[in-house]
Structure formats: structure tokens, C-alpha cells
Amino acid sequence: MANTFERYKKDIERLASLGGKLALAMQIEADPRTKTVHPFTEEELKNLPNVRSSYQGWYSEALALVSQLIPEREDDFRSYYAPKGTRKDLSYANYTMSDYLRSISATRAGEVIVGPSAANAAMYQQFNIISGLANRFTSSLYDIKALLHADLLDDELHAAEELNKNGFQRGAGAMAGVVLEGHLAAVCDRHKVMLRKKDPAISDLNDALKAASIADVAQWRFIQHLGDLRNKCDHKKAADPTKEEVAELIEGVRKITKTLL
């Protein structure tokens, strides 16, 4: 058991470090002027990995680790690499790492509305899942099983805050929207709320929770408002979401994850 424990511990630490470098490299690629807090030395910054040549190997190892230690997060981890199903269109909310690796963009009237920089959110999510393991790996291998759902969501919202702070408002808002949708789905599942749609959106989940008297009217209206903010981040409109609006969305999602259980 000790040898197994040490092997997992070293793998988690190595993959968390490489994942952080990949996420930072993508952020710098999207905006070379970006400044963010990170644990890397100047030498490490000069030798950040090439994401397109290094990511696939990292993903394969990280996925194997997730499937063994926290299998309940495997589907989430996979979904940041490739979409779960057919997409009607490409948006910040459904842009994945596989899209990034193929440099896929969506344009409208000659204007790029979503492109490789949108994958920052997906990479941050995957990195966050792995670094979350590193932060919680303590005295026993089985402690991994005790990771709290709320803690993981809070970690993901922290990653969204970092994106928002560094100027990636749409990506940060899309990430917060994914957290909100996932939490509402988990609450529906926990209370055995029946859903009419196979792939319900935030509004569908919100309405179902209100109909089942799990969410009160005030919570329902608040989630509606958060959904509107999320949609502003996800859909190209005349006005881009502001940093303040995205911060409001993130904080609102955090509140819902702690009060609607």
C-alpha cells in the first residue's frame, strides 16, 4: 500500500505541475501580455511546454489517474477534451481541447466569434481537477474518495475567477455556467427530480427544482438572473460581458452551490 500511495502521490504532483504549465502556456498564447500569479521559476517560464505537442500525453495519463481515483469525475474530465454529443453550433460553453488542438474557429460575417482562446476554460477545468487531487492527497489513498462535491465546485469557481481577473470574461462566465448547470443537475439527481429533457439547460433544471419545491421563488428568480448572465457570456452580442458582471455570476453560482443542496 505504501508503494502504491507514493506512486499515486508522485504521479499527481507531476501531472498537476505539467497541467499548470500547459494552462499558463495557453493563457500566454492567447494574450502574451497577460500577468498571473504562478509557482514557476523564470527558467520554467522560458521552457513552458508546447501545448499542441505535449497535451495529448498529459491528457492520457491524467485521464487514467482520474478514472482510477475519482471515477465520478471521469465524464467531466472527458467532456473538456471532446463534446459529449452533437453540437448545434460552436460557443465558449462547448469549445473543447480537441477543438483547440485542431485550431477550430467559428466566424460570423467574417468575424471570429469563438476560437482557440476559448479552450482556456477547458484546460483550466482539467488542471483544476488534477491539482485538486494533489491538494487533498494526505495520509491515505482512500482519502481521495472523500473529496467533497462542494469543494470541487469551489475550486472550479476559483479558476473562473482567475480567468476573469486576467481578461477572459467569456471563458470565465462559460466556466461558471458549467458549474451552475452541473450543480443544479446534481441537486435534481439527489432529490430524484424527474426531468423531461435528455440534456436539460440551466432554465430547465431551475424550473424543475421550483416545480418540485426544492428551490423557492427567490432562489428560482436568482438562478434565472445567473442564467441570463451566463448567456451573455456564451452568446456573441453587441456588448461583451463586463468583468463586474462575470464576477457577479461567479459569486452568485458560489452562493447557490452552498445554499441549494
Side-chain angles (χ1 to χ4, degrees), residues 112-179:
V112 175
I113 58 174
V114 61
S117 65
N120 285 1
M123 184 66 235
Y124 263 100
Q125 290 281 47
Q126 290 185 325
F127 160 64
N128 214 52
I129 289 173
I130 297 300
S131 63
L133 282 177
N135 293 336
R136 292 166 177 79
F137 203 91
T138 53
S139 61
S140 168
L141 178 62
Y142 298 105
D143 286 344
I144 297 295
K145 299 291 186 179
L147 290 175
L148 296 175
H149 176 69
D151 283 348
L152 288 170
L153 295 184
D154 204 50
D155 286 346
E156 291 168 2
L157 290 174
H158 178 69
E161 287 174 330
E162 286 297 309
L163 284 177
N164 189 38
K165 185 169 64 177
N166 286 286
F168 298 99
Q169 272 68 56
R170 289 191 181 277
M175 181 182 289
V178 169
V179 172

Side-chain angles (χ1 to χ4, degrees), residues 20 24 28 34-42 44-45 48 162:
L24 181 58
I28 292 173
T34 188
K35 293 183 179 180
T36 186
V37 177
H38 56 77
F40 305 119
T41 65
E42 286 296 323
E44 287 176 313
L45 285 179
L48 286 175
E162 286 297 309

Side-chain angles (χ1 to χ4, degrees), residues 2-241:
N3 289 338
T4 301
F5 173 83
E6 288 301 323
R7 177 169 60 83
Y8 276 123
K9 186 172 185 292
K10 289 179 180 179
D11 283 346
I12 291 170
E13 291 173 348
R14 175 175 57 82
L15 289 170
S17 177
L18 179 54
K21 291 176 182 178
L22 290 169
L24 181 58
M26 287 179 64
Q27 191 169 328
I28 292 173
E29 177 186 323
D31 182 3
R33 298 168 299 175
T34 188
K35 293 183 179 180
T36 186
V37 177
H38 56 77
F40 305 119
T41 65
E42 286 296 323
E43 187 64 26
E44 287 176 313
L45 285 179
K46 293 177 183 178
N47 295 285
L48 286 175
N50 180 292
V51 181
R52 287 177 172 80
S53 62
S54 301
Y55 173 80
Q56 291 284 20
W58 177 85
Y59 172 75
S60 296
E61 283 194 77
L63 177 62
L65 196 67
V66 169
S67 66
Q68 291 178 50
L69 299 182
I70 44 172
E72 66 273 16
R73 299 305 307 276
E74 182 178 347
D75 285 347
D76 290 338
F77 198 80
R78 287 179 181 273
S79 71
Y80 300 127
Y81 174 74
K84 292 181 179 180
T86 303
R87 297 174 292 190
K88 293 181 180 179
D89 52 22
L90 199 62
S91 69
Y92 274 84
N94 62 29
Y95 198 95
T96 65
M97 285 302 299
S98 61
D99 297 320
Y100 167 86
L101 295 173
R102 291 178 289 169
S103 300
I104 292 177
S105 297
T107 61
R108 184 179 298 139
E111 179 186 0
V112 175
I113 58 174
V114 61
S117 65
N120 285 1
M123 184 66 235
Y124 263 100
Q125 290 281 47
Q126 290 185 325
F127 160 64
N128 214 52
I129 289 173
I130 297 300
S131 63
L133 282 177
N135 293 336
R136 292 166 177 79
F137 203 91
T138 53
S139 61
S140 168
L141 178 62
Y142 298 105
D143 286 344
I144 297 295
K145 299 291 186 179
L147 290 175
L148 296 175
H149 176 69
D151 283 348
L152 288 170
L153 295 184
D154 204 50
D155 286 346
E156 291 168 2
L157 290 174
H158 178 69
E161 287 174 330
E162 286 297 309
L163 284 177
N164 189 38
K165 185 169 64 177
N166 286 286
F168 298 99
Q169 272 68 56
R170 289 191 181 277
M175 181 182 289
V178 169
V179 172
L180 177 59
E181 186 174 308
H183 178 70
L184 296 180
V187 175
C188 285
D189 184 62
R190 190 176 303 125
H191 291 276
K192 302 188 185 304
V193 176
M194 297 297 294
L195 299 170
R196 295 182 178 180
K197 294 184 179 180
K198 183 179 179 181
D199 296 306
I202 289 173
S203 59
D204 301 314
L205 296 165
N206 190 29
D207 288 345
L209 288 169
K210 178 175 177 286
S213 299
I214 306 301
D216 59 30
V217 174
Q219 288 174 316
W220 175 75
R221 287 176 176 165
F222 185 57
I223 293 169
Q224 272 191 320
H225 174 62
L226 296 179
D228 290 340
L229 289 176
R230 180 263 188 187
N231 289 338
K232 186 172 184 179
C233 296
D234 192 32
H235 303 300
K236 188 71 175 178
K237 293 186 176 181
D240 288 334

